[in-house]
Amino acid sequence: MIIHTEIKQKLQVELLEAKSIWIATAMISYNGWKFIKENLSKDTEQHFLIGIDLATEPKVFEELLNNLHISARVYQTNYTFHPKVYLLQKRDNSFTAFIGSSNTTSWGLEKNVEMNFQINDQAECIKLLEWFNEHYSKGYIITEDFFDDYKSKYARINMKKNEIISEIQQINSEVAQDLGQFFTRNEHKVFEEKYHRVENKELKKIRKEVSNKFKLIHKVIYPQFKEYGLNELYQHHNTRDIVSRYYFNKFSGYIVNSIWLHYGKSQNELSKYSNGDKSINRPNSFINNIRLQLIIHHNRLGIWLVLGRNNGSVTDRNYFRQQMKNDTFRKKFFQAYKNLGNAYWMNIKDVPPIKDIKTPEELHIYTQRENIDNYFIIGCDIDWLDDRLSKTNITNTILQEFKKLYPLYEIMKHQ
């Protein structure tokens, strides 16, 4: 029978009824020792075989040294003594055993993620007893000399152990620091560059999870657009394309380096641009027109206004360039851009931070560098561990940032 983290409760039941016990363990903490001792009757026959590679607490050896009715030995080897075996004989002389990963510690018996089996097959239990006796015969009795030597070395070992534990905890916290975040660590890291052109079952599953989470976000935020003043911002007219593809195909160039959720012009607006072009650069395509989008990368979530896809979005680009010749339009664009705040950027070469751009004319000069060969984006990137991207806050964060970007969307969109 498989036992998970509830081994402490299962073991306690058997200890209370035990006539004899045989425990072979890599280490015993004092709390683990107290648990065993407090659940045994005074007449229970006890046998312990204990490893010292993982630093059993000296207080345990001290009590064993002072309790001569307990049979206990230390097992020393050139390699780590690593078993976790609990064999118990009941009053009716039948056996039961627990074997698995749980050391005799509070963490091992009830807190860690452990895997153990309870064995009730009597023949197998007898084999375990034979195994125990064989190794016990090779163990060393606990003496005063051993205890004194071990105690002095333990203090030094424990100091190093605490340093190692601290480092391990730091590593663990770095690995598990996505707790509470809407998108998990895996759901970001799958977009690291080394995975962009790799397609396998596991990666595809994680990408699909990301896609489904974007769809959940959509269901929450889209009904609230009008409330936030996003009056002329529409989902993709094809339901399948509200979120970008998570799987490889020829249209994506057999690469998935990000996934996005985007909003832009209505199907009605787009239909006006239809000219018979069926290529990827067709002017009536949703992706070839100005959009607001949420996009995931390996270490951040982008909230962007995308004026133009590379080699696309000709209609909006030409409209914007033409309008920027007008002084009133330049001032309006400048003010809307400055209102975004310093967390935003423009992906045109050498454009300084927003706070350093002082005049509409200066901003105009930078925007003239915009090139059809490249995407034209105004956006902000939020670190993946930022509290604004928590399960609680993410939808409000997106709506607030879309609200900031929307005035620019209205200004730059082809009318």
Side-chain angles (χ1 to χ4, degrees):
M1 177 172 62
I2 295 176
I3 307 293
H4 299 289
T5 52
E6 71 272 16
I7 186 176
K8 184 176 181 180
Q9 288 73 33
K10 299 281 188 183
L11 184 57
Q12 184 177 36
V13 171
E14 302 297 342
L15 287 169
L16 290 168
E17 299 297 323
K19 173 183 174 182
S20 302
I21 64 167
W22 296 263
I23 294 177
T25 184
M27 70 175 295
I28 304 181
S29 69
Y30 192 65
N31 283 334
W33 165 250
K34 284 199 301 181
F35 165 73
I36 298 292
K37 184 173 66 172
E38 290 168 0
N39 288 288
L40 290 175
S41 65
K42 290 182 180 179
D43 62 341
T44 302
E45 187 180 308
Q46 302 173 48
H47 310 80
F48 291 89
L49 187 57
I50 305 166
I52 57 172
D53 304 286
L54 302 182
T56 290
E57 289 186 55
K59 286 174 72 176
V60 175
F61 287 127
E62 185 175 21
E63 292 210 7
L64 288 169
L65 187 63
N66 295 328
N67 285 275
L68 299 180
H69 67 282
I70 299 176
S71 300
R73 292 190 180 185
V74 171
Y75 195 90
Q76 289 182 282
T77 173
N78 290 331
Y79 307 99
T80 301
F81 182 71
H82 212 247
K84 292 91 179 176
V85 175
Y86 304 86
L87 177 64
L88 306 99
Q89 186 178 32
K90 303 179 185 182
R91 301 291 171 184
D92 64 0
N93 290 323
S94 65
F95 289 93
T96 189
F98 299 88
I99 296 180
S101 62
S102 292
N103 276 315
T104 317
T105 66
S106 295
W107 292 96
L109 294 174
E110 61 181 330
K111 295 177 182 177
N112 291 341
V113 176
E114 305 280 0
M115 174 55 72
N116 299 283
F117 283 83
Q118 183 173 2
I119 300 169
N120 293 314
D121 183 287
Q122 297 304 293
E124 294 300 315
C125 287
I126 294 297
K127 289 178 185 176
L128 282 173
L129 180 56
E130 291 169 355
W131 174 90
F132 183 95
N133 288 333
E134 179 187 346
H135 285 79
Y136 190 84
S137 67
K138 299 173 184 175
Y140 298 91
I141 61 173
I142 300 167
T143 63
E144 292 280 358
D145 290 344
F146 163 79
F147 175 69
D148 291 340
D149 184 50
Y150 180 83
K151 188 176 179 181
S152 65
K153 289 177 180 175
Y154 177 84
R156 297 194 300 272
I157 291 169
N158 208 43
M159 187 180 298
K160 292 180 180 178
K161 177 185 170 186
N162 289 337
E163 291 175 5
I164 293 168
I165 288 173
S166 177
E167 290 177 8
I168 290 172
Q169 287 173 339
Q170 185 178 344
I171 292 168
N172 286 339
S173 66
E174 288 171 359
V175 170
Q177 54 192 321
D178 61 347
L179 296 177
Q181 295 301 90
F182 184 80
F183 288 106
T184 68
R185 183 179 189 274
N186 286 347
E187 289 164 354
H188 277 281
K189 300 307 177 185
V190 74
F191 297 106
E192 286 188 347
E193 186 175 358
K194 63 182 178 181
Y195 299 126
H196 287 180
R197 294 187 179 276
V198 179
E199 178 76 311
N200 60 42
K201 190 175 180 180
E202 183 179 12
L203 295 179
K204 190 174 180 180
K205 180 176 180 288
I206 297 172
R207 291 178 187 134
K208 186 176 182 179
E209 288 168 359
V210 173
S211 176
N212 288 336
K213 284 191 174 182
F214 273 129
K215 289 171 185 175
L216 287 175
I217 289 173
H218 168 73
K219 286 180 181 178
V220 175
I221 68 173
Y222 193 59
Q224 299 184 63
F225 274 14
K226 295 289 191 290
E227 181 184 336
Y228 281 79
L230 311 175
N231 299 312
E232 299 298 324
L233 194 61
Y234 301 95
Q235 67 179 43
H236 198 292
H237 47 272
N238 237 335
T239 307
R240 186 189 65 182
D241 294 322
I242 291 171
V243 176
S244 65
R245 291 180 176 88
Y246 65 86
Y247 50 87
F248 282 19
N249 63 20
K250 62 181 180 180
F251 300 106
S252 68
Y254 301 100
I255 181 172
V256 178
N257 54 15
S258 62
I259 292 177
W260 61 86
L261 166 68
H262 54 180
Y263 302 94
K265 296 177 182 177
S266 68
Q267 187 172 14
N268 241 7
E269 290 176 292
L270 294 172
S271 64
K272 298 173 185 175
Y273 306 132
S274 182
N275 63 357
D277 186 349
K278 301 295 183 182
S279 74
I280 192 172
N281 294 323
R282 60 191 183 278
N284 60 321
S285 169
F286 193 89
I287 203 170
N288 280 322
N289 284 266
I290 190 169
R291 294 166 289 134
L292 293 188
Q293 77 175 23
L294 181 69
I295 185 167
I296 190 169
H297 291 103
H298 80 279
N299 60 356
R300 65 191 188 278
L301 204 67
I303 302 177
W304 297 352
L305 181 151
V306 183
L307 176 64
R309 185 182 64 79
N310 54 324
N311 299 310
S313 312
V314 175
T315 305
D316 290 310
R317 287 180 193 253
N318 287 342
Y319 173 79
F320 176 68
R321 289 173 187 157
Q322 187 63 34
Q323 293 298 107
M324 282 295 277
K325 296 176 182 178
N326 179 279
D327 184 61
T328 302
F329 184 92
R330 284 203 300 270
K331 289 178 180 176
K332 192 176 179 182
F333 175 72
F334 172 77
Q335 193 56 56
Y337 185 64
K338 293 287 280 187
N339 287 344
L340 291 175
N342 294 327
Y344 278 81
W345 46 263
M346 184 184 292
N347 74 324
I348 297 175
K349 187 179 179 182
D350 297 328
V351 174
I354 286 180
K355 63 183 176 62
D356 295 334
I357 299 177
K358 305 301 183 185
T359 67
E361 287 67 34
E362 184 183 355
L363 183 58
H364 179 215
I365 291 169
Y366 290 124
T367 59
Q368 284 182 308
R369 298 175 184 171
E370 183 265 317
N371 189 296
I372 192 72
D373 294 332
N374 302 307
Y375 274 85
F376 183 9
I377 302 167
I378 297 170
C380 72
D381 291 315
I382 303 176
D383 185 85
W384 69 290
L385 292 173
D386 195 302
D387 187 55
R388 289 175 291 170
L389 302 183
S390 69
K391 294 172 186 175
T392 304
N393 298 330
I394 189 168
T395 53
N396 182 61
T397 297
I398 296 163
L399 286 165
Q400 292 292 348
E401 299 305 325
F402 273 12
K403 186 176 180 179
K404 288 182 189 177
L405 284 167
Y406 188 69
L408 282 171
Y409 174 83
E410 288 189 300
I411 292 168
M412 301 170 78
K413 182 178 78 165
H414 174 254
Q415 306 292 327

